[in-house]
Amino acid sequence: MKRPKNGNKQYFTRMGTRKKVHAFVRVRPTDDFAHEMIRYGDDKRSIDIHLKKDIRRGVVNNQQTDWSFKLDGVLHDASQDLVYETVAKDVVSQALDGYNGNLIN
């Protein structure tokens, strides 16, 4: 395994290829899902969330109402098989080969 030079925080696998953390979000709508709160980007890599202001807090408040996220992928209403193929398959395979791998649910 190569060591990073000059304090560079990237790391290398045994074959010298650079790896990075990937971030995905899976959204599974339910019967009471708030469709008006979430917008998906056409690129299937971004998601915007909007919450209405809580009027009980008054007209002037610092309540955050909007969030935007850029990700490696948005899996909207995806099957368990598609989630595994897209997110976990390579991590599991590499872990079985002796590499570190993490999946956070």
Side-chain angles (χ1 to χ4, degrees), residues 46 68 85 92 95 102:
S46 59
S68 293
E85 289 291 325
V92 171
N102 289 309

Side-chain angles (χ1 to χ4, degrees), residues 12-31:
F12 297 87
T13 64
R14 284 182 238 170
M15 294 197 265
T17 57
R18 184 176 161 187
K19 296 289 182 177
K20 68 175 190 167
V21 173
H22 295 277
F24 290 84
V25 66
R26 180 185 191 189
V27 181
R28 296 188 307 171
T30 61
D31 290 338

Side-chain angles (χ1 to χ4, degrees), residues 68-83:
S68 293
F69 300 95
K70 301 279 186 208
L71 305 149
D72 290 297
V74 175
L75 302 168
H76 176 62
D77 205 16
S79 68
Q80 188 68 24
D81 290 339
L82 179 60
V83 172

Side-chain angles (χ1 to χ4, degrees), residues 24-67:
F24 290 84
V25 66
R26 180 185 191 189
V27 181
R28 296 188 307 171
T30 61
D31 290 338
D32 58 346
F33 185 73
H35 295 281
E36 70 280 353
M37 292 174 47
I38 298 177
R39 296 285 176 251
Y40 306 98
D42 292 334
D43 59 358
K44 297 191 183 197
R45 292 177 170 253
S46 59
I47 187 169
D48 298 321
I49 300 172
H50 173 75
L51 298 176
K52 294 180 181 176
K53 277 209 182 265
D54 184 354
I55 57 172
R56 294 174 292 173
R57 290 185 162 185
V59 176
V60 178
N61 68 52
N62 292 326
Q63 178 186 359
Q64 184 172 354
T65 59
D66 295 294
W67 294 267

